Structure formats: C-alpha cells, structure tokens
Amino acid sequence: MYSIAKLVTYLFLLLIINLNMPIASSAEKMNLLLISSYHPNFPTFYQQIDGLKSVLPVNKYNLDVEFMDSKRFPGAQTEKSFLKYLTNKVKNLPPYNLIFTSDDNAFNFIVKYQDELFPNTPIVFFGVNNLQNAELQNKNKHITGVVEATSIKETIRLAQNIIPNLSTVIAISDGTASGVSDLKSFLSLHKDFSTLKLSYLSLTDLSWDEITKKIQSLNSQTCILLLSAYRDKNNTPMLFTESLDLIITNSSVPVFHLWEHGLNEGIIGGKLISHFKQGMSAGIIAKEVLSGNPIENIPVKTQSPNITILDYKVLNKFGISINNIPSDAIFINKPYSIFQKYKNILYVSGLIFTFMTICIFILIINIQRRKNVENQLRKSEETFKTLYNKSSHYIGLLSPDGKIISTNIPSLEVIGLSISDVCGLYFWDSPWWRGTGDEKKLQNELKKVANGETVRFFSKHNIFDNQEIIVDFTANPVFNEDNVVTEIIVEALDITETRKIEDRLRHIEKMESVGILAGGIAHDFNNMLGGIIGCAELMQKHLKSNPDANNLNNMIIESSEKAAELIQNLLVFSRKQQIVSAVINVHKVISDSIMLLTHTIDKRTTINSNLFAKSPYIIGDQSQIQNVILNLGINASHAMPDGGILTITTSSIFLDQSFCSSSPFTLSPGYYLQIDVSDNGCGIDTDNIKHIFDPFFTTKEQGKGTGLGLSAVYGAISQHLGAISVYSKLGNGTVFHIYLPLSSDAEIN
C-alpha cells in the first residue's frame, strides 16, 4: 500500500505531465542524422551528443551518427569516400526528418552536397568557426544553426590579468582548417596587446620532437595558448589527449585553452566554448523546426555562449592568485564548504519539503479525518526514528515490566549486537547491565517508573573493550490517554570524560590550595626554626662544662635542622623556593645522581641508564633536578626491598596543543626532554596513586617517611614549567614520566 506522501507525489507529477507535455501520438519516432567532422574518440563528441539529447529525448527521436574522421584523414579523397558511403546509405534507409552537422568540415560538406544527398531536408549546424560562411546560410531556406566563436582575445586578457609579469603568449597550432583560422585570429590581436609579445609554434613547420624541445625552453614570463595540435609537419597524427599530455608534461608554464575538453587534464582553462551548450542550442533549434516552424524564419545564431572556466588546482600549482579573476568565472577542483558542496541537494530538499507540506495541507482539507491522523502519526514516527537513532545518547524503550522492546542504533553498536539479540530480555539482565552490580537497584528503580515516577542515578559500566565508563541514567514513564504507563523510555549518557575533567580541575584546585597553605606554614616555621637553632647554637658555648646538657642541646639542633629540610621540601612543593636558572646538561645530572644512588641504595638493585635524547639541555636549577632524580631513585629502591632493576631513560618529544591543554600543568607546545624513571618493584594501588603527590601522604610505617619527597618532586617540576605523571600496577612496578622544556628547539631522536 502506497503512503499518502508517495501518492500525492505521483498525482502531482501526473498533473505536471498533463499540463506541460503534448498528448502522445501513435506516430513513430523521428529519424535524425548527425554528421560529425571527426571521430568518436574526439574529445568534443560526447559533450555534443549529451547536449543534443538534453532536449531531444531518445524515446521520441532516433539519432544516427556518421563520422567523416577529417582530423586524422584530411583531403579530397576522404571527402569522396565519405560521399560515396553516405549516398549508398541514404538510398537504402528511410528518409531523415532532420540533419545535424558538427564542426566546420561536416558543415562545408553538407553545404556542398545538400541538394544531392538531402534535398528539401532541414539542416541544423553547430560547432562552426567560419562566421562568414555560417551567416551566408541565412539566405538558404533549408540550413540554419549556431556558430562556435572562440574567445581568443578574452582568454589572452584573462592571462594578462592573473599572471604577474607576463611578457609573452605563445600559441600552439597546426595545419588543420580550424587551427589555421584560429592562429590568424590570434596574430591579428597584436594591436590590442601592446605590452605583450604574441608569438606561435606551428606544427606545420615543426615535428612533435621539435615542438617538445621548444616548449621545454620557455621562460617563466610566458604562457601557452593551445589552439590546435593534431598533426605535425611529418603528417604524424596524435589524438587530442596524447598531444595535450605531451604539452602539459613538458611545459613549466601555464597552458590556456579555448574549449572545455582538456579541463581536469592539466590546462589552466580560459574563456571556453561549451560543446554541451553547442549541442543543446542546436537541439532547441531542431525541436522548433520539427514542430513546424520553417528554417527560413530561424536566423543563424552568431553569439557563442562561452564561459570562463579555470582549474583551481592548476592555479595553485603555478601560485596564481584568484583576486583578479572575473566574478562570473567557474572553478573546477575548488574545495567547497559542506553547504556549497551540497547546496543543490539542500535546495531541492527544501523545495521537496515545502511541496510535501503544501500537499499535506491540501489533504488535511479534503480527505477524511482518519487519513489525516494516519499521516500525522507517520510523520511523527519518522521524526521520532530520526531523533531516536541519530542521538548521541543511548536510548531504549521498555515494557512496564522492564522487558526490552527496542533500542537505538548507538546502543546496539556499543555492544556489537542486533535488536533481535536483546529484544524481550529484562533490561537488568541485558549486556548493558549484567555484571555492573547495579542490577537489583535498576530493577527496583524501574518498578517506580512503572508507577509513574521519573528516576535518575549514576552507574559504572564495563562494555567498552574492558574500559570502565560512567553513565548518567534516566528512566521516564510514557502515559496513554487514560494516564496509564504503557512504556518506559530509558536514556544513558556517557559522562566519563566529563568526570575526568572535573577530577582534574579538583586536583589542580586542591594542589594550588595545599601549595598556598604549605608555603605560608613553611615560612612561619622557617622563622621559628631559625630562632630555635640560633638560641641552641648560643647555648653550646655555655654548656661545654655540662656534657649531658650539651648532648640534649645538640639533639635540639639536629632535630631543628631535619625540620628545616622538611620546610625546604614544603617550599619546593609550594613553588616559593627561589631557583637558580642556568643551562643544565640533564644527562650529566643523571650520571652524577646514579653515582650517588649506587653508594646509597641496596647493592642488590641494578641501575640502568638509557640516555637517548639528542639534546639534554634545559634551563633550571641543577640541585633541584638532581634532588628529583635522587628522590625518585630512593623511592624506587624502597619499592624493591629484595633488589631489582631501576632504569632511567631520556628521549626528545614534541608536545602538541592537545596534550598541553589536557595536562593539569601549565605547558606550552614545543620540544621537551622526557625522563622516564621505572622500577620492577611492588607497584602502587589505585587508591594511593591518586594522592601520591599530596604533602605528608606516605604509605610507609610511622617514623620512616615524611610524605614530602614526591611533593617536593611535584613542586620542582612545576617550578621548571614541566609536568610529571605516574603509571603503576600492583606487582608490575612503577614508572614516572617527567617532561621538561628544552632550552631551544631540538630535533627528536
């Protein structure tokens, strides 16, 4: 059963056909003959045929074609053979209703043998370049047509306007009739271009090899105007595509043309003759003649509808600006916006939509109420399906008891199943929820929805290649006219990235807040410790005679100095410690640090270094960078109580804008030195890794760690405008990634 929309469309089309098309008769198709000057592979032929067929449909006209092939085989003998062949053919076939000729040779042939071959038969020519001969046919009551006039002057003017410092235009021509005629027109334009030198290369004097060498020697202030190139002085023929390829391949300057063929093959374009429009114009004249208008009432059309067409890729190839190109020019191969590319489709879609709206309005007035309701329901259903399946949310439809009725396409794609695989399952037992631990909660919440409530909660899922995601889940009841829940709409939105961004912002705010607090406390403690240490050192002079009291005093000094070290770490973390900026060779710092670690950590620990970075130079404080390496090295040794492998690796890396924007550190795009400090120790669990850089956070026993080592590392890296991150898995070791900006742009290994 056809939809109402389709029915209305068909009725509308039938109405248009009945209003605009003549009533079909039982008469046979009209027979037409096209005499082509050239051959089927000539580049203009199919464009001409398409132009004819655009106004002379094949269901009403039989179009026969004969080829003179005069481009490849010129001369009287060819004409004589073709006349004999055509005379024999005409005698043995039903008469033609109308004759077409394309291009000059066929036109001249038909004028010469008109009375002998086709007496009293209407003849329509096109593609004729000889304006004088064409206009003479206004006195011939059986011949009319459309002239093909080249725009040589306009094309040279175009070249002069768009090519800076153009001094010479070289025309390429051959000995064909059209080639000789066009070259004559070209050379007659000297007075119109006083600042240009108009020269030519003629294949009547040159072989293909000789003209190739001439083309290769042209200078950059020259352009080529291709008029005709089909046969050289040795009478060796080439197809247009072959000669054009020879010219384009060997030319280092732009090549202009006067016809559409050759576009997209390397020519830059010009003000071009459209063979499609030539054929279409001839078809329009023929249609008028066949409708009963005598040819003597239809004068020869002498205006050739030429168009400026340019190849955007070739313009770019020669660095030619489009600023001086006429506003009515047409570009091929020009990149377009989505709207420009599909604007015709959008316009047609808009027209179709408008038309359908009008039709629906008419139907609302004239058809039964039931049909109107069906149409509105259908339209609503299509709109719903579009919104349903194109949404970025995961949407499903459930029965009141929680069974799946349908889901949108994104929901199915995420689990790799079809609707038949999940339809009828209880929602809490489906692949989306099975194994989340929230199955019972979902079941209870859906019972509330079945009673008319709306529910919303957050849940964790593991359906993306074992990647855990967080979804914002909502369920809404759908009521019927009696206010009874008939269906449940469920919707889930992946908010994993949003949560990560929120966590990152909270982390940045927390570290900033803790840094401000730590900096303030550190300064106050530093002042207090300064007083304590000063007083204790003064007391040493008075306690020399009391060894016990002196020992206690020394303990005060030692404890105060250790407290001062903690304060220094707090200052580093809060980035309030002054750094000494200098160019540092980080490879040397690492080597020195490894030497210190060798004498400090467990002898069972092996230290490896892979210093691959080509440029190890940064600007910063050498002592702080060394403390970073030592801190990470000592922490790694603590994670390997029975010994293991500690590896320090460097490399060069470019951090782009995307990486810098997503980092919690203040980074600028550019080249960085990457330092990786890794161990194969016990690793760090997920809960602890979130707090690893927090001041005073430690997993060591009380009294064995202050929790400020990694905080100081974090502060030092931040103060050097770098970044640090950590990856670890219990039982699989830990790796710290450090990024420090290089002192100058350096090559990546």
Side-chain angles (χ1 to χ4, degrees):
M1 181 177 179
Y2 287 103
S3 68
I4 292 175
K6 286 183 179 178
L7 180 60
V8 171
T9 303
Y10 295 151
L11 290 174
F12 180 79
L13 291 174
L14 286 172
L15 177 63
I16 295 298
I17 291 169
N18 288 331
L19 289 174
N20 294 280
M21 300 295 291
I23 298 175
S25 69
S26 59
E28 295 181 357
K29 295 181 181 180
M30 291 187 174
N31 294 317
L32 312 175
L33 173 64
L34 167 63
I35 301 176
S36 172
S37 295
Y38 307 132
H39 52 86
N41 283 335
F42 198 74
T44 64
F45 172 69
Y46 288 105
Q47 297 172 7
Q48 294 169 343
I49 290 294
D50 289 341
L52 287 172
K53 289 182 177 179
S54 68
V55 290
L56 300 172
V58 294
N59 64 326
K60 289 191 175 184
Y61 302 92
N62 288 322
L63 181 62
D64 200 0
V65 183
E66 294 296 342
F67 299 97
M68 293 182 67
D69 208 0
S70 61
K71 209 63 147 171
R72 295 186 294 181
F73 307 103
Q77 185 60 43
T78 298
E79 181 181 306
K80 184 177 179 181
S81 300
F82 183 70
L83 174 63
K84 183 178 179 180
Y85 162 76
L86 195 57
T87 302
N88 184 61
K89 175 175 179 173
V90 169
K91 287 179 181 178
N92 292 283
L93 288 177
Y96 289 105
N97 299 94
L98 185 139
I99 310 299
F100 290 109
T101 70
S102 65
D103 300 295
D104 288 82
N105 291 346
F107 168 72
N108 295 333
F109 175 85
I110 205 67
V111 169
K112 186 174 181 180
Y113 298 107
Q114 171 192 357
D115 295 332
E116 180 180 341
L117 290 170
F118 306 107
N120 301 320
T121 303
I123 298 168
V124 178
F125 65 82
F126 60 96
V128 172
N129 300 110
N130 193 319
L131 179 60
Q132 184 178 0
N133 287 349
E135 287 183 321
L136 284 175
Q137 304 314 309
N138 283 322
K139 299 177 181 180
N140 190 327
K141 64 180 181 179
H142 296 300
I143 301 180
T144 190
V146 57
V147 169
E148 176 184 287
T150 56
S151 299
I152 297 177
K153 181 177 180 180
E154 292 83 350
T155 300
I156 296 174
R157 185 72 67 196
L158 173 67
Q160 187 179 37
N161 288 340
I162 67 175
I163 301 177
N165 304 319
L166 180 67
S167 63
T168 306
V169 179
I170 301 287
I172 294 179
S173 183
D174 59 11
T176 60
S178 59
V180 171
S181 173
D182 289 337
L183 181 58
K184 183 178 179 182
S185 300
F186 171 79
L187 294 175
S188 70
L189 296 174
H190 279 289
K191 62 181 180 298
D192 295 297
F193 297 97
S194 58
T195 61
L196 288 179
K197 178 183 177 183
L198 302 185
S199 184
Y200 68 95
L201 299 173
S202 177
L203 284 162
T204 58
D205 306 318
L206 300 168
S207 67
W208 292 114
D209 289 338
E210 288 169 341
I211 202 168
T212 298
K213 292 177 182 177
K214 295 279 187 182
I215 292 169
Q216 290 172 343
S217 65
L218 297 179
N219 63 48
S220 61
Q221 295 180 325
T222 304
C223 74
I224 293 173
L225 178 60
L226 175 59
L227 301 178
S228 183
Y230 294 96
R231 188 178 297 274
D232 68 359
K233 73 175 184 179
N234 299 322
N235 219 24
T236 304
M238 271 196 185
L239 294 175
F240 174 78
T241 52
E242 295 171 333
S243 61
L244 177 63
D245 182 61
L246 181 143
I247 293 168
I248 295 297
T249 302
N250 291 282
S251 173
S252 60
V253 299
V255 178
F256 289 82
H257 202 209
L258 302 174
W259 294 269
E260 272 188 316
H261 54 280
L263 282 172
N264 237 347
E265 301 295 335
I267 68 167
I268 200 167
K271 189 151 190 181
L272 308 180
I273 290 169
S274 169
H275 294 284
F276 176 87
K277 289 195 174 183
Q278 285 277 318
M280 184 174 68
S281 298
I284 292 171
I285 294 171
K287 199 169 184 181
E288 190 176 347
V289 172
L290 295 171
S291 298
N293 191 6
I295 274 190
E296 55 191 325
N297 295 338
I298 305 174
V300 172
K301 292 187 177 181
T302 58
Q303 293 296 321
S304 185
N306 300 345
I307 309 168
T308 301
I309 307 177
L310 296 164
D311 191 325
Y312 196 84
K313 283 185 179 178
V314 181
L315 288 171
N316 278 346
K317 173 184 174 182
F318 290 101
I320 297 174
S321 170
I322 65 172
N323 293 336
N324 296 324
I325 292 174
S327 59
D328 61 345
I330 297 171
F331 292 96
I332 66 169
N333 296 321
K334 182 178 181 180
Y336 294 100
S337 66
I338 294 298
F339 174 76
Q340 289 174 313
K341 187 174 182 180
Y342 298 106
K343 65 179 179 181
N344 290 336
I345 296 175
L346 293 173
Y347 289 151
V348 171
S349 299
L351 290 173
I352 292 173
F353 178 78
T354 303
F355 165 70
M356 293 302 297
T357 304
I358 294 171
C359 290
I360 290 171
F361 180 73
I362 295 172
L363 288 173
I364 291 172
I365 297 174
N366 293 283
I367 66 175
Q368 302 173 11
R369 181 177 178 276
R370 182 179 61 83
K371 293 292 184 181
N372 177 49
V373 171
E374 288 177 357
N375 184 65
Q376 293 300 324
L377 287 173
R378 189 175 296 107
K379 185 177 179 182
S380 176
E381 182 181 354
E382 290 301 320
T383 302
F384 171 75
K385 283 182 180 178
T386 302
L387 295 172
Y388 189 60
N389 286 317
K390 298 298 182 182
S391 173
S392 60
H393 294 199
Y394 308 124
I395 305 172
L397 193 64
L398 312 179
S399 62
D401 61 352
K403 288 183 179 179
I404 298 172
I405 298 173
S406 70
T407 66
N408 67 348
I409 292 173
S411 299
L412 294 170
E413 288 176 343
V414 81
I415 57 173
L417 298 175
S418 65
I419 186 62
S420 60
D421 296 323
V422 296
C423 189
L425 293 178
Y426 284 107
F427 192 42
W428 50 84
D429 196 32
S430 67
W432 294 287
W433 288 89
R434 195 184 305 125
T436 62
D438 287 335
E439 297 92 337
K440 192 65 179 176
K441 177 181 180 180
L442 175 65
Q443 187 176 358
N444 293 333
E445 294 297 317
L446 289 180
K447 287 178 181 178
K448 297 178 183 178
V449 182
N451 291 324
E453 298 182 32
T454 294
V455 300
R456 179 184 180 186
F457 61 88
F458 300 96
S459 179
K460 293 182 179 180
H461 295 253
N462 193 24
I463 55 178
F464 291 97
D465 297 328
N466 294 323
Q467 297 278 337
E468 185 179 80
I469 67 165
I470 303 170
V471 299
D472 182 355
F473 176 79
T474 307
N476 291 286
V478 178
F479 299 94
N480 63 9
E481 294 179 355
D482 299 324
N483 206 32
V484 175
V485 176
T486 57
E487 293 167 328
I488 297 173
I489 294 179
V490 292
E491 183 178 1
L493 175 63
D494 182 358
I495 60 169
T496 310
E497 288 302 318
T498 303
R499 284 291 180 88
K500 287 180 180 178
I501 293 171
E502 291 174 353
D503 291 343
R504 190 180 298 125
L505 289 173
R506 279 195 290 269
H507 176 72
I508 293 171
E509 291 172 356
K510 180 188 76 174
M511 298 303 277
E512 288 294 330
S513 299
V514 172
I516 293 169
L517 176 64
I521 293 173
H523 275 297
D524 291 340
F525 272 55
N526 224 15
N527 293 335
M528 294 178 187
L529 287 173
I532 293 171
I533 293 172
C535 291
E537 288 175 346
L538 290 172
M539 287 175 62
Q540 276 183 326
K541 299 177 181 180
H542 303 287
L543 296 175
K544 290 181 180 179
S545 59
N546 190 338
D548 292 337
N550 193 41
N551 288 337
L552 292 173
N553 191 64
N554 288 336
M555 288 175 64
I556 291 172
I557 294 173
E558 289 175 5
S559 297
S560 298
E561 287 175 346
K562 288 180 180 179
E565 290 179 11
L566 293 180
I567 296 303
Q568 286 301 112
N569 286 337
L570 275 176
L571 286 171
V572 172
F573 169 74
S574 64
R575 288 171 277 176
K576 292 188 176 180
Q577 184 189 43
Q578 295 297 319
I579 66 171
V580 179
S581 293
V583 177
I584 305 168
N585 184 338
V586 177
H587 283 177
K588 184 176 185 309
V589 173
I590 292 173
S591 299
D592 293 344
S593 301
I594 290 174
M595 190 178 298
L596 290 172
L597 288 170
T598 302
H599 297 89
T600 305
I601 62 177
D602 195 319
K603 302 299 181 184
R604 292 174 294 176
T605 298
T606 301
I607 304 177
N608 295 328
S609 63
N610 301 313
L611 307 181
F612 297 139
K614 186 173 292 184
S615 175
Y617 296 100
I618 68 166
I619 295 176
D621 190 316
Q622 181 168 326
S623 64
Q624 282 200 16
I625 299 302
Q626 187 167 46
N627 284 337
V628 167
I629 303 300
L630 291 173
N631 257 312
L632 295 178
I634 292 169
N635 274 7
S637 71
H638 291 163
M640 302 181 290
D642 299 321
I645 300 174
L646 168 63
T647 304
I648 302 175
T649 304
T650 67
S651 60
S652 300
I653 188 172
F654 183 84
L655 302 185
D656 58 19
Q657 184 61 53
S658 175
F659 183 94
C660 296
S661 299
S662 62
S663 173
F665 294 85
T666 303
L667 301 177
S668 298
Y671 286 102
Y672 282 72
L673 177 69
Q674 179 175 338
I675 307 171
D676 297 334
V677 181
S678 61
D679 64 65
N680 61 346
C682 58
I684 308 168
D685 65 35
T686 305
D687 292 334
N688 287 337
I689 208 166
K690 296 177 183 177
H691 306 287
I692 197 166
F693 294 116
D694 292 357
F696 305 112
F697 177 80
T698 180
T699 58
K700 298 175 183 176
E701 297 176 12
Q702 188 171 0
K704 292 190 176 182
T706 62
L708 285 174
L710 288 178
S711 299
V713 168
Y714 182 95
I717 297 302
S718 298
Q719 207 163 9
H720 283 76
L721 302 180
I724 184 169
S725 62
V726 59
Y727 172 80
S728 184
K729 191 172 182 181
L730 280 177
N732 287 331
T734 302
V735 57
F736 285 86
H737 302 291
I738 299 170
Y739 305 94
L740 295 170
L742 291 170
S743 61
S744 62
D745 289 348
E747 296 183 25
I748 300 176
N749 283 342

